[in-house]
């Protein structure tokens, strides 16, 4: 009754937008083929799923809520969603806002996220070393904003969607990262002008490719380039399908367990809710791992269901 009507409304909001330039929010993406298709095949991108649209909309709601909170707290918030452009790089971006702190303006970027991500991110290095690409590209987005607005520092404000807790990280200009952005922009611009897609990497990244909105365009090229052996084994197919179903739970378990390990460090004995938690320091002796050979597999669903 109520939920169904909301679902219909959300479904109508799912859309794709034209992309003719390099976006600051995407320039940190590690795949050049993705960035190329974003410019040349944007109209063929897969629509966001219903859940992805909900996450996107929630992010916008959280952003507006944080901006209101900052203003209520007495901060001067200006130039919300002001567009910027570096024409020679065909690089554009819309900064959330600028915030005045101690009579100094800073570009401000607001990111709301799950408690799992929030608890694991404290400094820029945590983002760059993160296992998920959408987290790793955030520092590049901030560096692109510094380039676009010609600033030396920016503020990244994180919000825990569960608790409402806020965390601020000051992002300082990094010449190495900004040079990487320049090279990436110039490379993509040249490829787009020549209408030549970047080379296919022999080793794809399962975490990136499995969620890519251009997988239906890119992966057929992968199949054509590589001679694929066709294996008709019902048991193998069933196991792969089961793996696909269980994978999200496994990834979430690893994230939660990593956060718990850090939060519970130093607690020897405790009762937390319905759980008894114990712990102790363990000394691990150093040892040399002998050389070995092993088979490294990668699995990626070609046809999304």
């Amino acid at each position: 009754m109520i939920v169904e009507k909301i679902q219909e409304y959300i479904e109508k909001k799912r859309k794709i937008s034209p992309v003719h330039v390099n976006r600051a929010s995407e320039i940190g993406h590690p795949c050049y083929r993705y960035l190329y298709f974003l410019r040349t095949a944007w109209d063929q991108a897969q629509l966001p799923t219903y859940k992805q649209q909900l996450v996107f909309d929630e992010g916008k709601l959280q952003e507006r809520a944080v901006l209101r909170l900052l203003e209520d707290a007495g901060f001067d918030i200006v130039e919300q969603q002001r567009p910027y452009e570096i024409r020679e790089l065909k690089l554009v971006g819309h900064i959330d806002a600028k915030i005045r702190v101690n009579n100094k303006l800073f570009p401000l970027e607001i990111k709301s996220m799950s408690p799992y991500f929030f608890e694991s991110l404290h400094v820029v290095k945590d983002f760059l070393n993160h296992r998920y690409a959408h987290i790793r590209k955030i520092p590049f987005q901030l560096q692109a904003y510094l380039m676009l607005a010609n600033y030396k520092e920016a503020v990244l404000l994180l919000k825990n969607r569960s608790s409402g807790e806020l965390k601020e990280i000051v992002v300082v200009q990094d010449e190495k990262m900004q040079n990487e952005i320049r090279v990436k922009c110039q490379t993509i611009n040249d490829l787009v002008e020549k209408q030549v897609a970047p080379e296919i990497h022999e080793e794809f990244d399962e975490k990136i490719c499995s969620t890519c909105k251009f997988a239906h365009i890119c992966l057929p090229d992968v199949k054509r380039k590589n001679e694929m052996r066709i294996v008709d084994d019902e048991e193998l197919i069933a196991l792969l399908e089961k793996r696909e179903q269980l994978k999200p739970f496994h990834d979430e378990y690893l994230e939660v367990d990593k956060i718990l390990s850090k939060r519970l460090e130093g607690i020897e004995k405790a009762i937390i809710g319905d759980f008894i938690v114990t712990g102790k320091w363990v000394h691990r002796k150093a040892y040399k791992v002998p050389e070995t050979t092993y088979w490294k597999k990668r699995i990626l669903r070609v046809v999304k269901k």
Side-chain angles (χ1 to χ4, degrees):
M1 187 171 65
I2 297 175
V3 174
E4 288 81 358
K5 191 166 184 178
I6 292 175
Q7 287 178 339
E8 290 177 7
Y9 168 70
I10 297 296
E11 288 287 353
K12 292 177 182 178
K13 295 179 68 176
R14 296 167 59 215
K15 64 179 181 179
I16 51 178
S17 301
V19 181
H20 303 298
V21 289
N22 302 308
R23 289 178 171 176
S25 58
E26 294 282 14
I27 201 62
H29 197 286
C31 179
Y32 275 70
R33 285 176 68 82
Y34 171 84
L35 294 172
Y36 173 82
F37 289 131
L38 197 63
R39 294 269 304 274
T40 61
W42 60 266
D43 55 337
Q44 300 177 54
Q46 292 182 331
L47 284 171
T49 64
Y50 174 76
K51 288 186 177 180
Q52 287 172 337
Q53 186 64 47
L54 284 176
V55 171
F56 178 76
D57 290 347
E58 181 65 22
K60 289 296 183 183
L61 288 173
Q62 295 286 354
E63 177 188 319
R64 290 196 289 269
V66 171
L67 288 172
R68 284 197 303 270
L69 178 61
L70 291 170
E71 289 177 326
D72 291 344
F75 287 101
D76 186 18
I77 303 296
V78 298
E79 299 183 25
Q80 295 184 35
Q81 294 300 322
R82 175 181 168 180
Y84 287 90
E85 178 184 18
I86 299 178
R87 290 188 178 181
E88 59 268 28
L89 296 178
K90 294 185 178 179
L91 177 65
V92 301
H94 292 77
I95 300 175
D96 286 345
K98 289 180 183 176
I99 183 170
R100 193 181 304 278
V101 181
N102 297 327
N103 293 320
K104 183 178 178 181
L105 276 179
F106 295 88
L108 174 67
E109 177 65 17
I110 300 167
K111 298 288 186 187
S112 60
M113 55 187 59
S114 72
Y116 313 126
F117 290 140
F118 184 87
E119 293 291 346
S120 65
L121 300 169
H122 306 284
V123 295
V124 172
K125 188 177 180 181
D126 294 333
F127 290 80
L128 296 173
N129 294 333
H130 207 275
R131 63 184 301 195
Y132 289 106
H134 74 278
I135 297 294
R136 295 198 300 271
K137 72 179 184 179
I138 291 175
F140 288 93
Q141 180 181 358
L142 270 293
Q143 290 297 328
Y145 286 163
L146 291 176
M147 294 167 61
L148 287 160
N150 195 25
Y151 275 74
K152 300 292 185 183
E153 294 177 313
V155 175
L156 174 59
L157 200 57
L158 307 182
K159 181 178 181 180
N160 185 325
R161 284 181 182 167
S162 177
S163 67
E165 183 182 357
L166 297 175
K167 181 188 300 181
E168 66 181 77
I169 298 173
V170 176
V171 179
V172 181
Q173 181 185 30
D174 187 305
E175 283 293 340
K176 183 178 179 181
M177 292 178 67
Q178 291 188 356
N179 284 334
E180 187 176 337
I181 291 171
R182 292 186 186 95
V183 170
K184 187 175 284 189
C185 286
Q186 291 165 350
T187 302
I188 296 300
N189 291 340
D190 290 342
L191 291 169
V192 170
E193 185 177 350
K194 296 174 183 176
Q195 290 293 295
V196 177
E199 285 294 317
I200 298 169
H201 291 291
E202 292 295 332
E203 295 191 356
F204 55 81
D205 189 318
E206 183 182 350
K207 289 187 179 67
I208 297 174
C209 296
S210 62
T211 58
C212 180
K213 57 186 175 183
F214 296 110
H216 61 296
I217 300 174
C218 182
L219 292 180
D221 290 342
V222 176
K223 290 195 293 183
R224 281 193 292 269
K225 180 179 179 181
N226 300 285
E227 293 184 2
M228 295 288 183
R229 172 186 171 191
I230 305 298
V231 178
D232 187 12
D233 187 317
E234 291 296 329
E235 184 181 2
L236 270 179
I237 294 172
L239 287 170
L240 287 168
E241 291 287 354
K242 189 67 176 178
R243 176 186 182 274
E244 196 74 10
Q245 295 171 12
L246 296 174
K247 188 176 181 300
F249 301 103
H250 173 261
D251 291 345
E252 185 175 0
Y253 168 83
L254 292 177
E255 287 294 329
V256 173
D257 192 61
K258 183 179 178 181
I259 294 169
L260 285 173
S261 295
K262 189 169 185 178
R263 292 283 301 273
L264 297 175
E265 186 176 290
I267 298 178
E268 294 184 356
K269 296 178 181 179
I271 295 177
I272 305 175
D274 295 331
F275 300 89
I276 295 176
V277 177
T278 63
K280 63 179 181 179
W281 291 109
V282 177
H283 178 70
R284 181 168 53 194
K285 293 182 178 180
Y287 64 95
K288 185 177 180 181
V289 179
E291 289 187 5
T292 184
T293 301
Y294 69 98
W295 186 262
K296 185 177 181 180
K297 72 180 187 305
R298 280 187 170 85
I299 299 173
L300 179 65
R301 183 189 287 279
V302 178
V303 180
K304 293 186 178 182
K305 293 187 176 181

